[in-house]
Amino acid sequence: MRQTSKMNNRDDSFYIDKIKNGETEAFRYLVDKYKRMAFTLAVQVVHQPEVAEELCQDAFLKAFHGLSGYKGDAAFSTWLYRIVYNTAVSYMRKKRRYTLPLEAEVLQVDDGSLDPMEQLSKDESLRMLDQALLDMEEEDRFLLTLYYLEERSVKEMAHIVEQSESNVKIRLFRGRKKLYTILSSLLKQEVDSLRLS
Amino acid sequence: MDENTKYKHDRQLKQLFELRGTASPGLDFTDRLMSKVYQPATDNNMNYWTLSGVVSLLVLGLVVAFSVWPELRENFQVIFNIANNFNINSLWGEAASLPPLIWGSIAVIALLLLLDRFIIRMLHSI
């Protein structure tokens, strides 16, 4: 994994150097490589695919015009996802007067007595995952997606969302716990409704 | 919750996320983006505010030139007379009566508008 990441990083720097030397077309490679993940992350924040796509366009454009400022201290993807995150969060802040949501109460589940994921079919699982994610804060959705899909380290995630490592650790821990709890609760409801019918 | 259960839950969540995978933007995403990338640099850098700044500075420069060289006003009057009976001296009289504070403010705003892109860029690069 680490080796692949290093290799990708070297690939990226090759194209970044080309762009910096005036070969604009080389940017297409980076766009094609990262557009899916960037879009996925933006969707997690704004939850509207059409808006997320436009925000991604803006984020990539910002990345292109700001490439001279990219020093290569972090992976290009880390730098890019940070731009995506800032663009999406700024949009959300402009869209509504940003108020910090109250800390949602973590639901209680019987540990061990229920094994929800194993009882779900693939489609049901995905439907419930989407439903559960909707109940979470956008920043938590963003972090969980980075954590599970990209296997990013806490340090990298902290860099992307511009928060301290300890803060990201706490958010991640709470987010994972909350997500699992919501999923378990959803499954319980599903099972109960089946029993009643 | 013991470590094994926590690990199991985490693994299950990871599997779910992987099953869900990444979402795809529209098919024309890259082409649309690249067409924006290829737009001339002036389109991206010369925004509305910068343009306003340039126009404001031009107007301000003209006003300063009129006040320093009255002959310039006379020459402009000739041009205006061709078009209509516009009297530049009466307009100048009105404008010259404005307090210096207003002209100073206009000059500062114009400069800020002109420099905003550079300031933003400078802050961004720090």
Side-chain angles (χ1 to χ4, degrees), chain A residues 25 32 36 40 115 130 148, chain B residues 8 10 20 23-24 30 38:
Chain A
E25 191 58 26
D32 279 336
R36 285 181 67 97
T40 304
D115 211 349
D130 282 334
Y148 285 119
Chain B
K8 189 178 174 187
D10 225 24
R20 192 163 173 259
S24 261
T30 308
Y38 277 116

Side-chain angles (χ1 to χ4, degrees), chain B residues 14 34 36 45 56 71 75 82-83 86 92 103 109-110:
Chain B
K14 182 170 169 49
M34 289 309 287
K36 290 179 193 171
N45 299 330
S56 307
E71 314 85 62
N75 290 338
I82 296 167
F86 180 75
W92 177 250
W103 289 115
I109 291 168

Side-chain angles (χ1 to χ4, degrees), chain A residues 48-191:
Chain A
Q48 289 171 283
E50 299 81 12
V51 176
E53 188 163 331
E54 289 316 305
L55 291 175
C56 273
Q57 291 258 328
D58 289 350
F60 272 108
L61 264 184
K62 281 181 198 167
F64 177 77
H65 292 298
L67 211 54
S68 56
Y70 171 67
K71 304 282 183 250
D73 303 335
F76 173 75
S77 56
T78 303
W79 184 72
L80 175 71
Y81 296 158
R82 185 174 176 167
I83 298 174
V84 171
Y85 175 78
N86 284 333
T87 309
V89 168
S90 301
Y91 169 82
M92 292 304 284
R93 283 183 183 153
K94 275 181 200 162
K95 195 183 165 195
R96 59 175 153 74
R97 187 163 287 180
Y98 196 75
T99 49
L100 281 175
L102 293 170
E103 192 69 34
E105 196 181 327
V106 175
L107 301 168
Q108 295 297 317
V109 280
D110 307 329
D111 293 330
S113 62
L114 190 67
D115 211 349
M117 313 308 173
E118 287 174 3
Q119 297 177 40
L120 295 172
S121 72
K122 183 184 164 186
D123 288 344
E124 280 174 330
S125 304
L126 294 180
R127 184 174 57 79
M128 286 197 179
L129 177 65
D130 282 334
Q131 208 176 329
L133 283 170
L134 269 177
D135 284 346
M136 302 189 70
E137 287 175 40
E138 61 238 24
E139 288 180 18
D140 289 340
R141 290 197 295 258
F142 187 93
L143 281 176
L144 286 169
T145 307
L146 270 179
Y147 178 76
Y148 285 119
L149 269 186
E150 283 266 301
E151 294 185 348
R152 292 291 174 140
S153 67
V154 171
K155 192 180 175 183
E156 280 177 309
M157 284 191 277
H159 186 72
I160 290 170
V161 298
E162 291 175 88
Q163 288 178 20
S164 67
E165 286 183 38
S166 54
N167 199 19
V168 167
K169 260 186 196 171
I170 293 168
R171 289 202 82 134
L172 210 52
F173 173 76
R174 285 187 188 160
R176 283 148 71 196
K177 192 176 169 189
K178 187 176 168 188
L179 181 61
Y180 196 87
T181 311
I182 296 171
L183 277 170
S184 304
S185 165
L186 286 172
L187 178 78
K188 260 189 173 179
Q189 286 170 20
E190 187 102 337
V191 171

